[in-house]
Amino acid sequence: EVQVVESGGGLVKPGGSLRLSCAASGFIVNNAWMSWVRQAPGKGLEWVGRIKSKTDGGTTDYAAPVKGRFTISTDDSKNTVYLQMKSLRTADTAVYYCTTMSETARGVWGQGTLVTVSS
Amino acid sequence: DIQMTQSPSTLSASVGDRVTISCRASPSLSSWLAWYQQKPGKAPKLLIYKASTLESGVPSRFSGSGSGTEFTLTISSLQPDDFATYYCQHYNTYSWTFGQGTKVEVK
């Protein structure tokens, strides 16, 4: 079964850092273009960023609000995607999901992990 | 950047109704358009990709159409399980953009 499980969320103060994990099973993350999407409380979906598959260069792209503060990476040995977040702001408060539109696991979403940025 | 505009933002309907949700893209985005259903407290569920391809396991009452700048999600006969929020999504090699969502509520 293809699935992803996000973890690592929690309460952090403005200016702080946090690393989210997305553990995949049933497919190889390095063969997929993996994205992070977030949803602020009561709001819509917002794309955060994406890492391409290793065969397509493994490069990353980010949405303007997080560029320079967030970094996406993968760990082959753990089949896991990470979202490193720094200089967090209250506007970053959201449920964070990892997902992909790559054919190997198209449409897979985890349950999400909640990040709350508050003093 | 691609802008996605969904309409309406809220739609009141009854079981058995035919429901249509629109999504307008600017500029044109070919057929790289997906539709999702989301219920409160749950992750989005992929319904349609490439504008009109039904995801495996999704009931056939859902259909998608359009290309370029105008796209439509149609539910042919609304069922009780279909009351939810629906999002369109543009996806390409550079970025993704979501519409603001359409809430389908009980009339």
Side-chain angles (χ1 to χ4, degrees), chain A residues 23-68:
Chain A
S25 57
F27 72 103
I28 307 298
V29 294
N30 280 332
N31 291 342
W33 291 30
M34 298 299 298
S35 281
W36 286 91
V37 173
R38 68 184 181 183
Q39 187 168 37
K43 302 297 184 183
L45 301 169
E46 180 185 23
W47 179 75
V48 172
R50 179 226 58 232
I51 186 165
K52 292 184 180 180
S53 64
K54 279 289 192 285
T55 55
D56 288 322
T59 56
T60 52
D61 286 286
Y62 301 92
V66 308
K67 198 169 186 179

Side-chain angles (χ1 to χ4, degrees), chain B residues 30-105:
Chain B
S30 185
S31 295
W32 300 112
L33 190 285
W35 290 96
Y36 292 85
Q37 176 194 70
Q38 188 180 34
K39 296 181 178 180
K42 301 295 186 181
K45 174 186 176 183
L46 179 64
L47 301 175
I48 303 281
Y49 62 98
K50 287 185 183 176
S52 60
T53 303
L54 195 68
E55 173 71 346
S56 176
V58 174
S60 59
R61 63 181 180 273
F62 291 93
S63 64
S65 63
S67 66
T69 61
E70 299 286 344
F71 299 86
T72 300
L73 173 70
T74 300
I75 308 172
S76 60
S77 178
L78 195 67
Q79 297 303 299
D81 191 48
D82 300 339
F83 292 99
T85 299
Y86 294 83
Y87 294 93
C88 62
Q89 174 211 30
H90 156 63
Y91 58 102
N92 68 8
T93 56
Y94 303 104
S95 67
W96 292 3
T97 306
F98 291 92
Q100 71 271 34
T102 295
K103 183 177 182 181
V104 177
E105 62 179 24

Side-chain angles (χ1 to χ4, degrees), chain A residues 5 9 14 23 27 34 39-40 50 53 55 59 61 68 80 85 93 95-96 98 102 104 108 115-116:
Chain A
V5 177
F27 72 103
M34 298 299 298
Q39 187 168 37
R50 179 226 58 232
S53 64
T55 55
T59 56
D61 286 286
T80 295
M85 305 183 294
T93 294
V95 174
Y96 285 74
C98 70
S102 292
T104 55
V108 66
V115 173
T116 303

Side-chain angles (χ1 to χ4, degrees), chain A residues 72-115:
Chain A
I72 299 174
S73 62
T74 60
D75 183 329
D76 297 6
S77 66
K78 296 182 179 179
N79 203 31
T80 295
V81 185
Y82 299 101
L83 179 65
Q84 177 69 52
M85 305 183 294
K86 64 180 184 180
S87 303
L88 282 162
R89 307 165 179 168
T90 55
D92 296 319
T93 294
V95 174
Y96 285 74
Y97 299 98
C98 70
T99 182
T100 181
M101 286 298 281
S102 292
E103 191 173 350
T104 55
R106 182 176 47 236
V108 66
W109 291 66
Q111 81 292 349
T113 186
L114 175 62
V115 173

